[in-house]
Amino acid sequence: MQEDALNNLREALKLSPDNMLLRLMLAEALLNAKQADKAEAEFKIILDKDPSNEQARTGLAKAFYEQQKYSAAIVILEELLERKPSNAPLLLLLSKSLLKNDEPAKAMQHYKNLLAINPSANDEELDKHLRGANTAGGSVDDIIESLEDSFEKLEKPAINFDHVGGMNKVKEEIKIKIIQPLQYPEHYKAYGKKIGGGILLYGPPGCGKTYLARATAGQINAAFISIGIHDVLDMWIGSSEKKLHEIFELARRQTPCVIFFDEIDALGASRSDMRHSASKMLINQFLTELDGVQASNDGLLILGATNAPWHLDAAFRRPGRFDRIIFVQPPDAEGRESILRILLKDKPLGQIDYALLAKQTQDFSGADLKALIDVAIEEKLRESFEKGVPQPIQNKDLFNAIKQVKPSTKEWFTTARNYALYANDSGLYDEILDFLKIKK
Ligand SMILES: Nc1ncnc2c1ncn2[C@@H]1O[C@H](COP(=O)(O)OP(=O)(O)O)[C@@H](O)[C@H]1O
Ligand SMILES: [Mg+2]
């Protein structure tokens, strides 16, 4: 029966030898019929005519594997995975080929990647090796759990620049300095311009640094990994440079990917009390990852944010690291107006005088504006319950709420001012002085 089907395909191909789809069917059928050598020949004919045919390439790798030509299979699979780093079947076949080819360490590495993508994947032989390789501690379950932990950090943000009010200059800078190099790397290479390195956002709390980082990923439809202060502290306690490395590796497998270090001063604190050895090792690991020495950071977009840039170790600012430093200032009136519009969108509204509201909210951060609206909404909800019907938010509700929320950005500037005046190495904080209208 199987032979019949194969013969039919062969006959059909005789009539139209250039029909690649038909040849692909024959090749796959041969593979299924355990005639891997013949399948190999057919896949090769297809690839001669159409070298970019990924299905044929995958088939060829399988044909090689079946014939125990493991190193040939590995070469093809590695190449395919470069383009499709999270393809589970390819990862599995590569892991198996590596194991057969006496490269268990590499096999395990790819198998772990596979488990991170598809925790329910399992292969008996690989599992056995994974267990054996880790007798010094963690079980397979531990490893899977830790991978799942870091995998949970992966998200695809649903917000983009349109959801971020104001910040036009910062958005523009991010576009030019990091989004375009990511999207058009060959243009940059053509002019010999180096790409890479990260952007550090700094400024008073609540002004949208974290929010903008997430929106940057959404803007280019990239994956997003956010490492916050708690993650860093956990790594400190466990002195886990390995964990940090795993996170970077996860990001490198998910390119394009924005990897975001929130409150990064926790990691790169220059205060002497934080310079104990655990943190030093972690910092060194971090710098190694940033430099992309051991692994390529192509397609990786590295962002950091801090309210206290002066606590950041200067080593972080060297070329190729966080060499672009952007001040995220409190929104001006225009910015506040646009933030208010965004925050009130889709809410039941009466007539709202946005321009006047913006004028009356000097020194409010984006987070303060959000708090203000929350206050107004709570008030409105109460009223709606009393009257039994939803009540639209009116101008006066918002103006009443302004009185109940204290703007929070001023305090930050009392500290920032001192650093800008007395510790402004190479004009790092000139933008703060400009903002405060202090002459340099
Ligand atoms: N420019 C903005 N546009 C829209 N919402 C904003 C903006 N800035 C801040 N917000 C709101 O305030 C919240 C807190 O901002 P966040 O990004 O956490 O500030 P930061 O990281 O600078 O401390 C955000 O989650 C968002 O809801
Ligand atoms: Mg933040």
Side-chain angles (χ1 to χ4, degrees):
M1 188 65 207
Q2 210 167 31
E3 268 314 308
D4 282 354
L6 287 173
N7 281 332
N8 286 344
L9 282 168
R10 282 198 190 97
E11 285 304 313
L13 259 179
K14 258 186 212 152
L15 297 173
S16 49
D18 291 331
N19 187 328
M20 289 302 138
L21 215 56
L22 214 51
R23 198 173 290 279
L24 207 52
M25 281 171 73
L26 173 64
E28 305 266 1
L30 286 165
L31 202 54
N32 280 333
K34 302 267 177 252
Q35 302 183 30
D37 53 335
K38 289 181 185 143
E40 177 189 326
E42 298 300 333
F43 284 127
K44 280 181 170 165
I45 294 173
I46 299 167
L47 287 167
D48 269 345
K49 296 239 162 71
D50 177 13
S52 66
N53 191 320
E54 284 189 11
Q55 211 180 328
R57 208 160 276 275
T58 307
L60 184 60
K62 284 183 192 158
F64 281 146
Y65 179 84
E66 292 300 329
Q67 297 173 82
Q68 303 180 6
K69 298 177 181 172
Y70 300 120
S71 54
I74 291 167
V75 171
I76 296 177
L77 289 164
E78 281 181 340
E79 190 197 31
L80 282 166
L81 277 160
E82 217 158 89
R83 260 165 293 155
K84 293 181 167 173
S86 46
N87 184 308
L90 291 177
L91 278 171
L92 181 61
L93 192 58
L94 177 58
S95 311
K96 288 165 78 161
S97 307
L98 285 164
L99 194 60
K100 298 272 193 207
N101 206 40
D102 271 335
E103 299 179 72
K106 269 177 93 181
M108 286 309 112
Q109 210 180 336
H110 289 286
Y111 189 51
K112 284 187 205 169
N113 287 354
L114 170 63
L115 290 173
I117 289 157
N118 178 7
S120 64
N122 75 60
D123 179 90
E124 210 172 301
E125 208 177 343
L126 287 162
D127 278 345
K128 214 164 65 198
H129 264 265
L130 191 58
R131 207 167 273 137
N134 286 285
T135 42
S139 65
V140 182
D141 290 338
D142 287 341
I143 293 165
I144 293 173
E145 199 177 307
S146 87
L147 285 165
E148 280 178 345
D149 275 358
S150 46
F151 204 59
E152 258 170 35
K153 300 211 163 301
L154 259 188
E155 54 168 309
K156 278 267 183 157
I159 55 167
N160 59 39
F161 282 176
D162 293 341
H163 299 86
V164 182
M167 302 181 95
N168 294 329
K169 215 181 111 205
V170 184
K171 286 183 195 167
E172 202 49 41
E173 248 175 301
I174 290 184
K175 270 188 196 157
I176 292 172
K177 288 182 180 160
I178 55 177
I179 291 184
Q180 281 172 2
L182 197 69
Q183 287 179 328
Y184 308 104
E186 63 285 359
H187 291 231
Y188 283 75
K189 281 188 190 131
Y191 290 100
K193 214 165 151 45
K194 239 183 103 60
I195 50 182
I199 286 194
L200 180 69
L201 306 171
Y202 79 94
C207 291
K209 298 183 291 296
T210 302
Y211 197 60
L212 183 68
R214 184 164 271 117
T216 300
Q219 182 71 13
I220 49 170
N221 216 349
F224 184 69
I225 298 178
S226 173
I227 309 301
I229 188 161
H230 295 293
D231 303 299
V232 170
L233 291 178
D234 280 352
M235 287 187 237
W236 265 31
I237 294 161
S239 7
S240 184
E241 303 84 58
K242 206 168 128 254
K243 181 102 196 173
L244 189 62
H245 177 66
E246 268 168 24
I247 289 168
F248 268 89
E249 285 294 293
L250 177 69
R252 289 179 186 118
R253 289 193 298 268
Q254 302 295 329
T255 55
C257 182
V258 174
I259 177 163
F260 175 56
F261 289 85
D262 210 352
E263 304 183 62
I264 193 170
D265 47 299
L267 184 65
S270 66
R271 284 162 293 181
S272 54
D273 57 319
M274 294 215 174
R275 281 190 168 251
H276 55 75
S277 63
S279 71
K280 227 177 201 165
M281 305 245 291
L282 199 57
I283 289 176
N284 285 339
Q285 181 67 35
F286 183 64
L287 297 177
T288 308
E289 300 294 344
L290 280 188
D291 294 344
V293 179
Q294 286 155 348
S296 160
N297 284 346
D298 279 357
L300 216 62
L301 207 154
I302 301 164
L303 289 179
T306 176
N307 301 338
W310 30 84
H311 287 156
L312 204 65
D313 198 301
F316 279 51
R317 298 198 301 264
R318 301 239 175 85
R321 296 176 181 168
F322 289 101
D323 47 10
R324 287 150 297 179
I325 300 183
I326 300 181
F327 176 44
V328 177
Q329 56 185 56
D332 59 10
E334 198 186 313
R336 293 195 296 275
E337 181 170 338
S338 110
I339 293 171
L340 285 165
R341 283 182 193 277
I342 288 170
L343 292 172
L344 285 169
K345 205 172 147 255
D346 304 327
K347 305 257 173 353
L349 295 176
Q351 279 293 326
I352 305 291
D353 187 344
Y354 288 100
L356 192 62
L357 276 169
K359 216 173 135 195
Q360 307 265 310
T361 46
Q362 172 88 28
D363 300 325
F364 276 56
S365 68
D368 296 336
L369 293 173
K370 191 164 183 289
L372 176 165
I373 285 169
D374 285 343
V375 168
I377 287 177
E378 248 168 62
E379 191 54 45
K380 232 47 225 176
L381 268 175
R382 222 189 322 266
E383 218 180 298
S384 299
F385 290 139
E386 271 166 25
K387 301 202 168 143
V389 273
Q391 302 290 309
I393 301 166
Q394 305 290 354
N395 241 344
K396 69 163 180 17
D397 301 318
L398 295 165
F399 282 103
N400 280 337
I402 290 179
K403 288 179 224 145
Q404 297 176 55
V405 178
K406 205 171 141 264
S408 68
T409 60
K410 269 187 152 153
E411 202 182 304
W412 184 85
F413 280 101
T414 56
T415 309
R417 184 176 185 276
N418 286 326
Y419 282 100
L421 282 173
Y422 309 119
N424 191 9
D425 25 315
S426 50
L428 192 57
Y429 304 127
D430 280 355
E431 285 176 298
I432 295 178
L433 295 176
D434 289 342
F435 184 83
L436 294 171
K437 301 198 171 63
I438 296 173
K439 276 222 186 73
K440 278 166 267 183

